[in-house]
Amino acid sequence: GAVVSQHPSRVICKSGTSVKIECRSLDFQATTMFWYRQFPKQSLMLMATSNEGSKATYEQGVEKDKFLINHASLTLSTLTVTSAHPEDSSFYICSARLAGGVNEQFFGPGTRLTVL
Amino acid sequence: ILNVEQSPQSLHVQEGDSTNFTCSFPSSNFYALHWYRWETAKSPEALFVMTLNGDEKKKGRISATLNTKEGYSYLYIKGSQPEDSATYLCASTSGTYKYIFGTGTRLKVLA
C-alpha cells in the first residue's frame, strides 16, 4: 500500500516551454501532497505544499507564478514549470501525506527535467 | 533554521560487513525522525519513523536508534548485502508536517 506514481520520469525541453509533472497517489487519498526539488549533491528541498481544493503554499524563494501547482482531486497533484529556463533543470519529486499518526510521507520516483 | 546532517556522505563496504551511518538534527521542538532507503530510479522507501527518545526500531538486518536530547539517530546494517546498496536519507520534522532532509549517505556493498 501507499504507492505514489510520478510522470514523466524524464523530460527534455527547449527554453521557454512549459512542462507539466503529475503526481498520483494510487491506493490512498491524499489531502496534502508536497513538491521537492534536488540540485546535485544537495538535499531534497521543499518547494510547496499542495492541498486538495485550495491554493498551494510556497516556501520562501519559490516563485508561485513560475511553478504552478494544482491539486484538483484527492489523488492527483500537478506541477507546471512555466517558461522553463536552463536554471530550472533539476530533479523534482513529489510526496503524499498519509494523514494521522506521525504524518508519514510517501514519495514518487521523481522527474529529471533538463531545459536546453 | 533547521539543519539536518548525515555522515558519511558515501562509503563502500564488503559483502558481509556491518556498517552504520549518522543523522544529526536540531533537538529543539523535535517531533519525528524518518529514515528512507532510496535506490536509483525508484521511489524512496520508508524504513522507520521514530518519535521517542531511546526508540529502537528493527526491520530484518536494518535497525535504527534515536537520541532526541542530543539530536542524533544511527542506522545500522548487519551483514551488508549487495542489494543494500542505495542512498539512505533521514528527515526531521519539528511539530509541523514539513520534512527537513539531510543530503543522504550513499552506500555501495561490494560482492
Side-chain angles (χ1 to χ4, degrees), chain B:
Chain B
I1 299 175
L2 291 177
N3 191 28
V4 177
E5 297 183 354
Q6 291 187 247
S7 62
Q9 284 191 343
S10 66
L11 75 163
H12 292 65
V13 300
Q14 292 292 326
E15 182 177 358
D17 287 350
S18 294
T19 187
N20 64 86
F21 335 126
T22 305
C23 173
S24 301
F25 54 89
S27 55
S28 60
N29 299 319
F30 172 83
Y31 182 70
L33 193 284
H34 302 257
W35 279 101
Y36 288 84
R37 179 177 177 274
W38 195 5
E39 292 182 73
T40 303
K42 295 185 178 180
S43 299
E45 173 196 356
L47 289 175
F48 305 114
V49 180
M50 309 176 79
T51 57
L52 299 176
N53 185 45
D55 251 357
E56 291 189 30
K57 297 275 179 91
K58 187 176 181 181
K59 181 185 289 188
R61 294 180 291 98
I62 305 176
S63 60
T65 60
L66 180 68
N67 183 320
T68 61
K69 295 184 186 301
E70 297 182 37
Y72 64 84
S73 175
Y74 292 138
L75 187 80
Y76 300 90
I77 302 179
K78 184 178 180 181
S80 302
Q81 299 297 310
E83 57 265 31
D84 296 328
S85 298
T87 295
Y88 291 83
L89 293 176
C90 70
S92 173
T93 58
S94 60
T96 72
Y97 50 74
K98 295 184 182 181
Y99 281 21
I100 305 297
F101 278 94
T103 52
T105 293
R106 289 181 297 281
L107 173 66
K108 177 71 174 177
V109 181
L110 305 172

Side-chain angles (χ1 to χ4, degrees), chain A residues 7-12 110-114:
Chain A
H7 179 81
S9 58
R10 185 179 296 270
V11 59
I12 301 172
T111 298
R112 173 72 60 190
L113 171 63
T114 302

